Amino acid sequence: MQRALSLVSLLVLGSAWTLQGAHILRETLTLTQEDFDLDRFMGKWYEVAVASTCPHYMQRKRGNPVIVALTLQHDVSDGNFTMMATTFRNGSCQQTSRNYGLTNTPGRFFYHVAKFGADVDSYVVHTNYDEYAMILQLSTEKQSGNTTTIVKLYGRTMDVSPAVSDNFKTLVRRHGMSDAAIIMNQNKGGCVPGEPVTDHATPQRGLPQVSPLHPQLQSLCTMKKFFETWTEASRIQTQT
């Protein structure tokens, strides 16, 4: 009887250790920059590279692998900050804005995508503020429970050093993706929102464009029906 009780105790302790270990592992993977300084993180950045576990996100990025100009501005009055993104898209220079909420953890932010019912947590994993920043984004769709991981590399300029690129690859691997999943965005120069442009990335000739907000998309990364339609349209155009 005593041996049985001892065995049960060991199993309980083992389970507790496993759960605690999993929690510690997740916290380690999402550890933010030590002594994170929000004010130093604000200002102008460029999104120079990205990798994601979301097939649609990667398909869309590969169709238009252009560096995105980012402007971050802290709103002291409401404790949040705004990210303004400017990039070439569909033959023009377009600009979007997103508000990020601050958390009790320095270097961790969040926003909600109402269309897909998804909560997104953003972590500044590494940064030296003057040269680069490595961002981890973890999103969860409430309805489906689907999770997505995105890792981004920001630079204060459109180029980063080989050492920074290597460290970014290491971070991508830590989150279950290979080097082949990394998209290095292309420098297409500056642009002014609303003005037409001629030097922009275009999708592969003869294939339909992939819109990030296509009406058939019912969730952030669950798009089997959409891609079956897209693939069939591509096959027909190729045959003709």
Side-chain angles (χ1 to χ4, degrees):
M1 181 67 178
Q2 185 175 1
R3 291 182 61 185
L5 289 175
S6 298
L7 179 59
V8 170
S9 299
L10 287 173
L11 290 173
V12 171
L13 288 173
S15 299
W17 182 88
T18 301
L19 292 174
Q20 183 180 16
H23 174 72
I24 292 174
L25 176 60
R26 180 173 177 80
E27 289 299 316
T28 301
L29 289 175
T30 56
L31 190 65
T32 58
Q33 173 66 44
E34 184 178 3
D35 298 324
F36 179 77
D37 189 327
L38 179 64
D39 291 333
R40 292 182 64 190
F41 182 64
M42 295 295 100
K44 189 70 173 285
W45 289 98
Y46 296 94
E47 181 190 294
V48 297
V50 64
S52 174
T53 59
C54 175
H56 174 65
Y57 181 89
M58 295 300 287
Q59 180 70 37
R60 178 167 58 85
K61 292 294 289 186
R62 287 194 178 95
N64 188 37
V66 180
I67 288 179
V68 182
L70 306 170
T71 301
L72 280 58
Q73 185 172 0
H74 183 203
D75 188 345
V76 181
S77 62
D78 63 6
N80 300 325
F81 74 87
T82 301
M83 175 183 287
M84 190 75 69
T86 306
T87 187
F88 292 106
R89 185 181 299 162
N90 298 330
S92 66
C93 184
Q94 300 185 16
Q95 194 171 68
T96 59
S97 178
R98 171 165 285 147
N99 293 323
Y100 283 76
L102 304 183
T103 69
N104 293 328
T105 302
R108 179 185 176 187
F109 321 113
F110 73 92
Y111 64 90
H112 180 73
V113 184
K115 179 178 179 65
F116 301 110
D119 292 321
V120 182
D121 285 302
S122 295
Y123 303 83
V124 182
V125 182
H126 301 297
T127 184
N128 63 359
Y129 304 101
D130 300 323
E131 181 186 4
Y132 72 90
M134 299 182 192
I135 313 297
L136 171 66
Q137 293 184 329
L138 303 175
S139 66
T140 303
E141 297 174 28
K142 291 183 178 180
Q143 184 173 2
S144 66
N146 291 334
T147 59
T148 297
T149 300
I150 300 177
V151 186
K152 296 183 177 182
L153 176 60
Y154 293 170
R156 288 295 188 184
T157 65
M158 294 187 185
D159 298 303
V160 295
S161 68
V164 169
S165 295
D166 289 341
N167 289 336
F168 178 69
K169 292 177 182 178
T170 299
L171 181 63
V172 169
R173 295 187 202 110
R174 284 182 59 195
H175 291 279
M177 293 171 278
S178 67
D179 293 359
I182 298 174
I183 296 176
M184 298 301 298
N185 292 328
Q186 302 170 13
N187 179 6
K188 296 293 183 178
C191 66
V192 178
E195 291 188 359
V197 293
T198 56
D199 186 14
H200 59 88
T202 56
Q204 186 177 349
R205 184 178 179 181
L207 297 183
Q209 294 189 33
V210 179
S211 170
L213 296 178
H214 193 283
Q216 286 182 287
L217 304 185
Q218 298 300 316
S219 69
L220 206 57
C221 282
T222 307
M223 289 156 292
K224 180 179 180 181
K225 181 177 179 181
F226 171 75
F227 277 112
E228 287 176 348
T229 303
W230 188 88
T231 302
E232 178 64 16
S234 302
R235 183 186 64 80
I236 294 174
Q237 289 194 15
T238 300
Q239 291 177 346
T240 57

